[in-house]
Amino acid sequence: MSLIQNINKVFDHRIRLGIMSALMVNESVDFNTLKELLAVTDGNLASHIKALEKANYITITKQFIGKKTNTKYRVSETGKKAFIKHVDALEKIINHKKR
Amino acid sequence: MQEKDYLKDIKEIKKIMNKSTRFLSLSGLSGILAGIYALIGAFLAYRTIKNYFYIGKYDSINPNSIELKLLLIAFFVATLSIATAYFLTKKKANKEGQTLWNTTVKRLLLHFSIPLIAGGFLSLELLNMGFFGLIAPITLIFYGLALLNASNFTLSNIKYLGIAEIILGLIAVNYIGYGLYFWAIGFGVFHIIYGSIVYLNERKS
């Protein structure tokens, strides 16, 4: 029972997990790169980004390159800690079941 | 049931972390072909030099023609290798649903090209000063450093190819005058071996 409690509900989705994974190992990632990486539609990606932003796990910076906007995403300190805790929990569950 | 899902999550995390930092669509076949081009080039260069020194087809009107010929061979081998790598890698990337011009490719090329360009300029300087014998070791060493530098941004086992090139270059320093043979090993044989390893891994997965 205690093993499950560290599982973070916010990350319990493939796309959110993917967004966080990419942000953890990159300084920042832009929208189109995320879209290609995860093979999702604009709307789908945007809604999951919103969920992560709402939880304060990621920060968003908007820049103008010429006339185009370039939106970049970074993981926040809170997000980093939450993600590490989540991955630890996943690993513990897997190791526990193996035994 | 639950357990399988979590394992899948971990695998997905690893996959995305790899894919977002490394460009993994390098084609093994292009490595093999580059090695073959290099061996053909080395053979042609060898024949050119042999004709010049031993058979005496000395071109008195244009004594620089041998240098020009060797440069042309080197140029064709390099161009053909880059073109092959470009087309085959593009094909592989398309098949894997990746575009060729993305962040990981840019990062890879940047880190690969800095040592390579430095080595290129150093080689030109050495040529100007007449240190022909050092060109082969220097190009091998800097090419190895470029591969080592690139290994953080692509298939990580490319670092072994880089280390092998560096060691070969350092050995070559002791055998000035045999540069062509070391080039044939470093750019020919090593590429064929490494390309084959990548190619076999591709087919396995």
Side-chain angles (χ1 to χ4, degrees), chain B residues 112 116 138-147 161 165 187 191:
Chain B
F112 178 65
L116 207 63
I138 292 284
T139 45
L140 284 169
I141 290 168
F142 275 83
Y143 180 59
L145 289 172
L147 290 174
L161 179 62
E165 302 280 6
F187 292 112
H191 276 152

Side-chain angles (χ1 to χ4, degrees), chain B residues 18 35 39 50 62 68 70 74 101 109 157-158 183 187 190 200:
Chain B
N18 249 328
L39 284 182
K50 212 173 127 188
N62 188 5
L68 190 72
L70 292 178
W101 197 236
L109 288 179
N157 61 10
I158 209 164
W183 257 340
F187 292 112
F190 283 7
L200 290 177

Side-chain angles (χ1 to χ4, degrees), chain B residues 23 46 67 69 81 93 130 132 140 164 179-180 194:
Chain B
F23 180 72
Y46 175 76
E67 281 170 23
K69 259 188 187 166
S81 302
F132 302 106
L140 284 169
L180 196 55
Y194 180 70

Side-chain angles (χ1 to χ4, degrees), chain A residues 4 7 12 14 17-18 21-22 24-26 33 36-38 83 86-87 90-91 93-94 97-98, chain B residues 2-3 6-10 12-21 97-100 102-103 107:
Chain A
I4 306 283
I7 288 290
D12 219 5
R14 189 190 70 90
L17 210 59
S21 307
M24 286 295 283
V25 290
N26 287 283
T33 304
E36 188 191 316
L37 198 63
L38 303 168
F83 189 74
H86 180 72
V87 173
L90 289 180
E91 280 174 344
I93 292 168
I94 292 162
K97 295 235 166 131
K98 262 187 199 160
Chain B
Q2 279 271 9
E3 159 195 21
Y6 291 135
L7 202 58
K8 223 170 115 188
D9 279 3
I10 291 279
E12 178 76 12
I13 291 167
K14 277 187 185 158
K15 196 187 99 190
I16 295 291
M17 283 183 169
N18 249 328
K19 223 173 134 188
S20 67
T21 49
Q98 269 199 305
T99 51
L100 196 56
N102 60 27
T103 335
R107 231 173 345 200

Side-chain angles (χ1 to χ4, degrees), chain B residues 106-128:
Chain B
K106 286 179 206 165
R107 231 173 345 200
L108 169 62
L109 288 179
L110 178 74
H111 287 87
F112 178 65
S113 57
I114 291 170
L116 207 63
I117 290 169
F121 277 113
L122 180 59
S123 300
L124 286 178
E125 290 291 321
L126 290 172
L127 267 180
N128 266 337

Side-chain angles (χ1 to χ4, degrees), chain B residues 144-204:
Chain B
L145 289 172
L147 290 174
L148 200 62
N149 211 31
S151 67
N152 286 323
F153 307 98
T154 182
L155 308 169
S156 67
N157 61 10
I158 209 164
K159 65 173 169 275
Y160 300 115
L161 179 62
I163 292 166
E165 302 280 6
I166 294 169
I167 293 171
L168 187 71
L170 290 173
I171 295 171
V173 181
N174 298 302
Y175 298 92
I176 303 288
Y178 295 91
L180 196 55
Y181 298 101
F182 284 96
W183 257 340
I185 298 169
F187 292 112
V189 179
F190 283 7
H191 276 152
I192 293 173
I193 295 172
Y194 180 70
S196 309
I197 293 169
V198 175
Y199 184 71
L200 290 177
N201 282 340
E202 279 166 27
R203 303 197 66 185
K204 240 187 266 167

Side-chain angles (χ1 to χ4, degrees), chain B residues 23 25-27 29-30 33 37 79-95 100:
Chain B
F23 180 72
S25 304
L26 281 190
S27 145
L29 192 61
S30 69
L33 287 172
Y37 301 154
T79 312
L80 212 58
S81 302
I82 293 168
T84 306
Y86 174 77
F87 284 114
L88 290 180
T89 300
K90 190 176 178 182
K91 209 173 121 192
K92 194 175 164 189
N94 283 347
K95 219 165 89 184
L100 196 56

